[in-house]
């Protein structure tokens, strides 16, 4: 028997380059994400599923299969669908149900490797420093576990001195368990200490290390509220015996920020929120299409179509029949229905019609099957039918009754009469559902059900009887639920309803108004740390080849991480509960198309926008050539990704519970610039996305406002409430090999460019000016080489106005497939004088049990 050989390789590609291997040979691959132990089996040399078997090398494992092992997040069936340009003729042959089930299993298992990557420490260190905040001293040498430094700053300084003496090898700073206070300073790694490189800062032996920008609040300084307290009568009598308070002024804490901008936050190991009304997720769910019955509400409806409607199935998916007849001056005992307009080409237009097939004056155009929150009317005298019960709370929101002026709002439902309007705020979307703001309240009129604001919200208030979601914030009278707090900014006092015994709590108040950690060196790694609590951004990364890994990063009033420079990133971390965005991913040279290669990968990202809910996104990507890959993104009110710039990769992500209360938005969104090109949005899974706003359509991938030259390839959509793909007037976009399952609309498009692009100075639709202002010479150099279709466009408004250049063209929609899809393609155009697609063919769908095959080929337009 021949001797078994043990190979050691750095990457999977290195392993696959081995020649002369034999059965049972072993290869240890050290690659960070896909590495492991492999045993060769020549009977499987022709198998490569990209993760478990690679040309005969069989992965050895005794745990769940990890998504990170694969170059795509799908099984072999899905891989074949993505990579083989097959002319599909039967959707059933592909067994898409099994594909979806497999994806659901894989994505459910994905969290098993978040914050569980230990390869980062599999190296030899030429020097070790130790830090112990409890037992250390900065007069020690820090070189042994028994002579540790007290502060991380001292270890960083010592490491800088070491860098001057040694140019090779890595140094590690082991940080012992404890909390490291940066409430009044920033942990500057390189910024103030000279050049620093090749250093790892890591928790020692998996001990819990917390780096925070917060003031610790001593439990012994809390006291129970009693009848002598100034606010005793304002507190809920059923809860006030559980309320504690602490004098923050006595601790020197008097700067709390504003509730609407960079406020201090109460930090504990569990989530605490400002006292609010209604409570988070309280109340009933909004009625949805398919419910056995629904109720229509509304005041002064003409005709009065309020009441209960019962679902009736039909060949078009179903409609609702009013349980009682309508009897008015206009209608005598007439039966009314709520139904979608038949054969609607652009999605559902919901309308009320009667048994005589005469429409009532209410309708609503929409792009999914869901019911609209409110119906539009053909005149002001008809009232506004709605599916929202004005006397109830829905999913933690109340609703406006009408916008009355630029600062006055009428509200639906009821507000308790005992509120004192003192440092009280309202958090809501008063004009656009994508335009959330927090605004201070001047007064509340419970009789007329109105409230007035201290200032005009940045997007204004929509005047008229429109239903917009909101809730009240910083309400002392509503401090009645464990996990809530209130700050009396006048008397510098914190009130809290603890979730557990006050003596077991570990309260801190975020006071640092700067970054908690700055990294500007090279090859700096933060490993296995908890970083929390700032009124500003938590972490700022610049320099080159720096990494935050295996960390928990949470609780900031603004953004959690800013990444710039080159080849910097965050991986295998939990990133959650930001005031605004989770990550700002920048870097690269966009005008010169030089890639930044910064990255956000293999993270669990959730609950961004806890203060500013919309117009932020979970991650904002800019610059050139950055990567957002293999992440779980969930529980996001607005968009998961907003991007600008070029050549980014947004691939292999798992998006769910996104767009939970918004409108006219996309899970992945970009728009309004001819220079946002060459971006890949590929091989992502979109599922469990519910439209709770009902004001306008939501998209999975949204190339808005003439976005051109981008890619959406191999994505899987399992979401009934969204248009899966939508391009709003763009050109040269590629949509191929996508899977649509249980979708209302697979693909939508229109010609927004012909209506919107202009030559007005300063206009956001002056796209030639925007290219120039951003320093992009698109007619020569790297832009001409990379994007010849753009370079061919004249840089002269007189030559492109009223021309083909403003019209969508040269898009490709090919080899896409779906099952249970109601409307596969919606193509809207104003004049029919252009060809939207260069290639449009080979897609298949099953709708209501009937196979439909479409093969449409459109030749390129002249000049393409």
């Amino acid at each position: 028997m021949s001797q078994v050989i043990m190979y050691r390789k750095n990457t999977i590609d290195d392993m696959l380059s081995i020649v002369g291997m034999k059965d049972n040979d072993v290869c240890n691959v050290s690659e960070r994400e896909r590495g492991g132990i492999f045993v060769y089996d020549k009977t499987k040399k022709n198998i490569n599923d990209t993760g478990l078997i690679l040309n005969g090398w069989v992965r050895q494992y005794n745990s769940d299969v990890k998504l990170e092992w694969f170059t795509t997040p799908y099984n072999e069936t899905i891989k074949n669908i993505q990579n083989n340009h097959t002319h599909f003729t039967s959707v059933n042959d592909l067994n898409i149900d099994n594909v979806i089930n497999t994806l659901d299993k894989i994505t459910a298992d994905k969290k098993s490797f978040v914050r569980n990557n230990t390869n980062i420490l599999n190296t030899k260190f030429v020097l070790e420093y130790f830090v112990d905040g409890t037992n250390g001293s900065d007069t020690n040498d820090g070189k042994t576990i028994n002579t540790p430094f007290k502060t991380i700053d001292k270890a960083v300084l010592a490491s800088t001195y070491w860098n001057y003496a040694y140019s090779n090898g890595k140094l590690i700073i082991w940080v012992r368990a404890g909390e490291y206070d940066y409430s009044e300073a920033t942990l500057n790694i390189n910024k103030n200490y000279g050049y620093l490189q090749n250093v790892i800062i890591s928790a020692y032996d998996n001990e819990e290390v917390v780096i925070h920008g917060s003031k610790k609040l001593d439990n012994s300084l809390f006291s129970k509220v009693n009848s002598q307290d100034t606010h005793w009568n304002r507190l809920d009598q059923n809860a006030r015996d559980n309320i504690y308070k602490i004098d923050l002024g006595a601790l020197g804490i008097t700067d709390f920020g504003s509730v609407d901008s960079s406020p201090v936050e109460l930090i504990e190991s569990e989530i605490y929120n400002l006292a609010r009304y209604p409570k988070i997720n309280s109340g009933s769910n909004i009625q949805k299409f398919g419910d056995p019955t629904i109720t229509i509400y509304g005041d002064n409806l003409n005709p009065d179509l309020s009441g209960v409607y019962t679902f009736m199935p039909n060949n078009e998916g179903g409609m609702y029949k009013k349980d009682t007849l309508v009897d008015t001056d206009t209608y005598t005992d007439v039966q009314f229905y709520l139904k979608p307009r038949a054969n609607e080409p652009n999605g559902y237009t919901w309308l009320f019609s009667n048994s005589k097939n005469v429409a009532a004056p209410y309708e609503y155009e929409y792009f999914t099957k869901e019911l609209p929150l409110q119906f539009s009317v053909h005149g002001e005298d008809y009232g506004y039918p709605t599916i929202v019960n004005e006397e109830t709370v829905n999913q933690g929101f109340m609703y406006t009754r009408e916008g009355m002026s630029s600062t006055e709002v009428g509200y639906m439902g009821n507000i308790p009469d005992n509120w004192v309007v003192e440092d009280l705020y309202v958090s809501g979307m008063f004009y656009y559902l994508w335009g959330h703001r927090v605004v201070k309240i001047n007064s509340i009129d419970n009789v007329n059900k109105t409230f007035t604001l201290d200032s005009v919200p940045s997007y204004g208030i929509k005047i008229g009887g429109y239903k917009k979601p909101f809730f009240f914030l910083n309400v002392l009278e509503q401090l009645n639920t464990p996990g809530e707090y209130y700050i009396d900014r006048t008397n510098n006092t914190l009130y809290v309803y603890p979730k557990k015994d006050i003596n077991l709590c570990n309260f801190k108040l975020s006071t640092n108004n700067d970054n908690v950690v700055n990294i500007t060196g090279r090859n700096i790694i933060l490993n296995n740390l908890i970083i929390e609590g700032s009124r500003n951004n938590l972490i700022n990364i610049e320099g080159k080849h720096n990494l935050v890994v295996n960390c928990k990063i949470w609780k900031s009033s603004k953004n959690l991480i800013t990444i710039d420079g080159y080849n910097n990133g965050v991986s295998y971390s939990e990133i959650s509960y930001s005031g605004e965005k989770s990550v700002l991913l920048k870097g690269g040279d966009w005008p010169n198309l030089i890639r930044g290669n910064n990255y956000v990968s293999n993270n669990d990202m959730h609950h961004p926008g806890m203060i500013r809910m919309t117009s932020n996104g979970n991650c904002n990507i800019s610059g050139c050539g950055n990567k957002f890959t293999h992440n779980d993104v969930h529980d996001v009110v607005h968009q998961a990704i907003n991007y600008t710039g070029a050549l980014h990769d947004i691939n292999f992500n798992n998006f769910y519970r996104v767009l939970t209360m918004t409108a006219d938005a996309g899970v992945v969104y970009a728009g309004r610039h001819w220079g946002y090109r060459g971006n890949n949005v590929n091989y992502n899974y979109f599922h469990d996305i519910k439209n709770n706003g009902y004001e306008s359509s939501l998209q999975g991938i949204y190339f808005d406002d003439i976005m051109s030259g981008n890619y959406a390839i191999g994505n899987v959509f399992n979401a009934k409430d969204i248009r899966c793909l939508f391009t709003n007037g763009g050109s040269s976009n590629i949509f191929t090999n996508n899977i649509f399952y249980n979708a209302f609309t697979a693909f939508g498009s229109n010609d927004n460019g012909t209506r919107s692009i202009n030559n007005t100075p300063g206009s956001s639709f002056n796209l030639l000016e925007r290219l120039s202002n951003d320093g992009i010479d698109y007619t020569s150099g790297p832009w001409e080489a990379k994007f010849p279709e753009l370079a061919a466009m004249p840089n002269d408004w007189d030559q492109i106005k009223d021309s083909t250049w403003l019209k969508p063209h040269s898009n490709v929609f090919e080899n896409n497939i779906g099952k249970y899809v109601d409307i596969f393609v919606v193509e809207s155009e104003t004049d029919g004088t252009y060809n939207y697609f260069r290639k449009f063919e080979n897609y298949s769908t099953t709708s209501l049990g009937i196979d439909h095959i479409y093969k449409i080929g459109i030749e390129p337009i002249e000049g393409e």
Side-chain angles (χ1 to χ4, degrees):
M1 178 180 292
S2 60
Q3 185 176 2
V4 170
I5 298 175
M6 168 69 81
Y7 298 92
R8 294 186 182 275
K9 298 294 180 180
N10 292 325
T11 68
I12 293 292
D13 289 341
D14 291 341
M15 178 182 72
L16 297 179
S17 67
I18 297 172
V19 295
M21 56 281 192
K22 305 178 299 298
D23 275 347
N24 300 315
D25 281 357
V26 178
C27 186
N28 185 346
V29 179
S30 60
E31 182 176 336
R32 181 182 299 166
E33 293 185 1
R34 300 180 63 211
I37 304 296
F38 295 82
V39 175
Y40 189 71
D41 181 350
K42 67 180 181 182
T43 66
K44 299 178 180 178
K45 64 181 181 180
N46 295 322
I47 300 175
N48 188 335
D49 65 7
T50 77
L52 299 180
I53 304 174
L54 298 98
N55 298 350
W57 289 102
V58 181
R59 184 183 296 274
Q60 307 301 296
Y61 62 98
N62 55 14
S63 62
D64 291 337
V65 174
K66 303 294 193 301
L67 180 59
E68 66 190 283
W69 295 342
F70 296 83
T71 56
T72 77
Y74 313 121
N75 65 4
E76 188 69 18
T77 302
I78 302 172
K79 177 173 171 288
N80 286 338
I81 294 172
Q82 293 167 343
N83 296 335
N84 296 336
H85 294 278
T86 305
H87 290 186
F88 300 119
T89 58
S90 174
V91 67
N92 295 320
D93 293 342
L94 295 167
N95 203 344
I96 291 182
D97 300 274
N98 287 343
V99 170
I100 296 299
N101 290 336
T102 300
L103 268 178
D104 287 339
K105 176 63 166 63
I106 291 173
T107 53
D109 290 344
K110 185 173 189 285
K111 293 181 190 296
S112 64
F113 66 85
V114 171
R115 298 198 70 211
N116 191 32
N117 184 339
T118 57
N119 292 335
I120 204 71
L121 300 179
N122 291 342
T123 188
K124 184 176 181 179
F125 303 107
V126 298
L127 181 64
E128 296 177 310
Y129 283 124
F130 292 84
V131 175
D132 189 329
T134 303
N135 302 309
S137 171
D138 283 350
T139 61
N140 291 337
D141 65 10
K143 292 183 178 180
T144 72
I145 197 169
N146 296 316
T147 59
F149 296 128
K150 184 175 183 63
T151 65
I152 302 173
D153 304 79
K154 178 65 175 179
V156 169
L157 181 60
S159 302
T160 304
Y161 295 150
W162 170 82
N163 268 166
Y164 285 122
Y166 300 93
S167 58
N168 297 317
K170 285 190 176 182
L171 177 153
I172 189 164
I173 298 172
W174 293 112
V175 185
R176 301 299 307 274
E179 296 190 350
Y180 294 81
D181 186 341
Y182 287 89
S183 59
E184 297 179 352
T186 295
L187 173 56
N188 287 301
I189 304 174
N190 187 48
K191 195 173 183 64
N192 294 331
Y193 297 119
Y195 195 72
L196 187 65
Q197 64 179 355
N198 299 329
V199 173
I200 297 176
I201 301 176
S202 178
Y204 178 78
D205 196 27
N206 286 319
E207 293 179 355
E208 184 170 284
V209 175
V210 180
I211 297 174
H212 62 82
S214 309
K215 286 280 191 182
K216 184 172 175 58
L217 305 179
D218 191 326
N219 290 340
S220 66
L221 300 179
F222 282 90
S223 62
K224 252 191 176 183
V225 174
N226 58 41
S227 60
Q228 303 305 308
D229 187 87
T230 304
H231 298 310
W232 176 256
N233 291 326
R234 291 181 60 189
L235 292 169
D236 187 328
Q237 62 180 350
N238 295 317
R240 58 192 179 190
D241 288 339
N242 299 301
I243 307 299
Y244 289 78
K245 69 176 182 178
I246 185 171
D247 184 351
L248 299 175
L251 302 176
I253 305 174
T254 58
D255 180 7
F256 306 109
S258 171
V259 172
D260 63 331
S261 179
S262 299
V264 297
E265 293 186 280
L266 188 63
I267 309 294
E268 221 267 339
S269 59
E270 301 178 79
I271 294 297
Y272 276 71
N273 297 297
L274 273 177
R276 57 171 277 179
Y277 181 84
K279 304 302 183 187
I280 296 175
N281 297 325
S282 63
S284 60
N285 291 326
I286 296 175
Q287 301 176 97
K288 300 180 75 67
F289 178 79
D291 288 350
T293 62
I294 62 169
T295 302
I296 298 297
Y297 304 93
D299 293 330
N300 303 315
L301 301 183
N302 180 25
D304 185 2
L305 299 183
S306 62
V308 177
Y309 290 66
T310 299
F311 183 76
M312 295 177 59
N314 60 23
N315 291 333
E316 296 179 353
M319 63 179 183
Y320 284 89
K321 177 182 179 181
K322 193 174 188 306
D323 284 5
T324 58
L325 301 178
V326 174
D327 190 0
T328 67
D329 293 339
T330 306
Y331 303 93
T332 303
D333 293 334
V334 174
Q335 179 66 63
F336 269 85
Y337 303 86
L338 175 59
K339 57 189 292 187
R341 180 181 292 157
N343 302 315
E344 176 64 50
N346 293 327
Y348 275 0
T349 296
W350 285 97
L351 53 82
F352 291 92
S353 66
N354 60 43
S355 53
K356 298 180 181 180
N357 202 30
V358 176
Y362 310 114
E363 66 178 23
Y364 194 91
E365 186 173 4
Y366 202 61
F367 291 98
T368 79
K369 272 192 175 180
E370 285 310 333
L371 299 166
L373 179 69
Q374 179 174 286
F375 294 85
S376 57
V377 298
H378 299 297
E380 291 295 326
D381 298 329
Y382 296 109
Y384 295 91
T386 175
I387 63 171
V388 177
N389 184 352
E390 64 177 24
E391 301 303 327
T392 64
V393 170
N394 293 282
Q395 297 178 316
F397 290 90
M398 296 177 67
Y399 285 87
T400 61
R401 182 183 73 250
E402 62 178 321
M404 305 178 71
S405 74
S406 62
T407 57
E408 186 176 13
V409 175
Y411 65 85
M412 300 163 66
N414 297 293
I415 298 173
D417 293 330
N418 66 329
W419 288 8
V420 175
V421 180
E422 182 179 271
D423 204 27
L424 179 65
Y425 287 76
V426 63
S427 176
M429 298 83 156
F430 300 107
Y431 201 103
Y432 304 107
L433 277 187
W434 49 260
H436 170 269
R437 283 297 180 265
V438 178
V439 188
K440 194 172 185 178
I441 290 181
N442 264 347
S443 63
I444 296 177
D445 181 345
N446 283 328
V447 176
N448 295 306
K449 292 192 173 184
T450 65
F451 58 81
T452 58
L453 305 179
D454 182 71
S455 60
V456 179
S458 57
Y459 293 110
I461 293 173
K462 192 163 187 177
I463 305 301
Y466 297 94
K467 310 301 184 290
K468 304 293 182 179
F470 72 91
F471 58 88
F472 295 99
L473 200 58
N474 206 42
V475 190
L476 178 60
E477 291 80 1
Q478 290 297 311
L479 180 58
N480 53 20
T481 303
E484 292 185 324
Y485 67 97
Y486 172 87
I487 297 176
D488 179 346
R489 285 168 164 75
T490 301
N491 297 302
N492 302 321
T493 303
L494 167 72
Y495 293 80
V496 62
Y497 191 148
K499 289 186 175 183
K500 54 192 174 187
D501 188 319
I502 191 71
N503 295 309
L504 300 178
C505 294
N506 182 23
F507 288 126
K508 299 184 289 289
L509 201 69
S510 62
T511 56
N512 190 333
N513 205 20
D514 200 348
N515 301 322
V516 173
V517 178
N518 274 334
I519 304 173
T520 56
R522 183 185 181 99
N523 291 324
I524 307 300
I525 298 175
L526 301 188
N527 177 64
N528 198 20
L529 306 170
I530 298 173
I531 303 172
E532 66 181 23
S534 173
R535 290 175 58 193
N536 205 311
N537 304 330
L538 274 175
I539 303 172
N540 178 63
I541 307 174
E542 298 176 33
K544 296 181 179 180
H545 300 281
N546 300 306
L547 172 64
V548 174
V549 63
N550 300 320
C551 291
K552 179 177 181 178
I553 306 153
W554 77 320
K555 272 292 188 181
S556 167
S557 298
K558 287 195 173 179
N559 309 305
L560 295 172
I561 310 173
T562 299
I563 303 174
D564 207 338
Y566 292 85
N567 298 288
N568 300 312
V570 57
S571 293
Y572 295 96
S573 296
E574 182 181 1
I575 305 171
S576 62
Y577 292 98
S578 64
E580 296 181 8
K581 303 175 184 68
S582 294
V583 179
L584 292 173
L585 180 60
K586 312 181 207 179
D589 184 342
W590 177 33
N592 292 301
L593 293 183
I594 298 172
R595 294 176 181 268
N597 290 317
N598 294 320
Y599 56 93
V600 176
S601 65
N602 293 291
N603 301 289
D604 182 17
M605 309 177 74
H606 57 94
H607 293 95
M610 298 300 289
I611 297 173
R612 292 278 179 92
M613 291 184 174
T614 66
S615 304
N616 285 295
N618 168 70
C619 180
N620 187 296
I621 306 173
S622 61
C624 180
N626 299 307
K627 300 179 180 180
F628 187 93
T629 59
H630 295 287
N631 299 290
D632 264 15
V633 182
H634 56 100
D635 295 289
V636 182
V637 171
H638 200 210
Q639 295 166 159
I641 304 290
N642 286 16
Y643 73 85
T644 62
L647 305 180
H648 302 306
D649 290 328
I650 304 168
N651 302 337
F652 311 122
N653 299 289
N654 180 29
F655 298 114
Y656 59 102
R657 294 201 302 272
V658 179
L659 307 176
T660 59
M661 182 61 75
T662 188
D664 190 22
V667 177
V668 178
Y669 176 90
R672 207 171 300 182
H673 203 296
W674 274 328
Y676 300 165
R677 305 179 85 87
N679 300 290
N680 297 301
V681 187
N682 301 338
Y683 312 117
N684 302 285
Y685 185 30
F686 300 80
H687 62 106
D688 294 292
I689 298 168
K690 302 295 183 185
N691 187 343
N692 298 314
Y694 302 147
E695 186 171 296
S696 184
S697 63
L698 303 179
Q699 283 67 228
I701 299 174
Y702 193 175
F703 294 157
D704 195 12
D705 291 341
I706 313 100
M707 275 287 291
S708 301
N710 291 273
Y711 300 83
I713 298 173
N715 299 283
V716 179
F717 300 88
N718 179 15
K720 195 69 173 177
D721 284 7
I722 64 173
R723 281 188 295 191
C724 301
L725 299 170
F726 185 65
T727 172
N728 194 7
S731 300
S732 302
N733 294 305
I734 309 299
F735 304 95
T736 61
N737 297 324
N738 298 286
I739 299 174
F740 310 103
Y741 182 83
N742 191 32
F744 179 67
T745 304
F747 178 84
S749 63
N750 69 21
D751 64 345
N752 191 36
T754 60
R755 299 187 296 270
S756 302
I757 302 174
N758 61 57
N759 196 39
T760 304
S763 169
S764 63
F765 278 101
N766 187 338
L767 300 190
L768 284 178
E769 182 181 72
R770 294 192 68 183
L771 285 167
S772 177
N773 289 345
D774 287 321
I776 295 173
D777 179 5
Y778 70 89
T779 62
S780 63
W783 281 82
E784 181 185 24
K786 185 67 178 177
F787 304 114
E789 75 282 1
L790 177 63
M793 183 179 69
N795 191 7
D796 185 332
W797 174 250
D798 288 335
Q799 294 185 54
I800 68 172
K801 67 179 180 180
D802 302 322
S803 75
T804 300
W805 293 110
L806 302 189
K807 300 176 180 180
H809 58 84
S810 303
N811 295 286
V812 174
F813 187 81
E814 183 180 26
N815 294 335
N816 299 290
I817 194 164
K819 187 173 185 180
Y820 309 129
V821 178
D822 293 304
I823 300 175
F824 212 99
V825 174
V826 176
E827 184 182 356
S828 303
E829 59 184 23
T830 55
D831 59 14
T833 60
Y834 59 89
N835 290 332
Y836 204 105
F837 296 98
R838 171 165 57 85
K839 183 178 287 187
F840 183 88
E841 61 186 12
N842 305 331
Y843 69 86
S844 171
T845 182
T846 295
S847 178
L848 303 176
I850 303 173
D851 286 345
H852 300 278
I853 310 300
Y854 301 86
K855 294 185 179 180
I856 304 172
I858 297 178
E859 294 297 319
I861 66 169
E862 184 178 354
E864 286 297 319

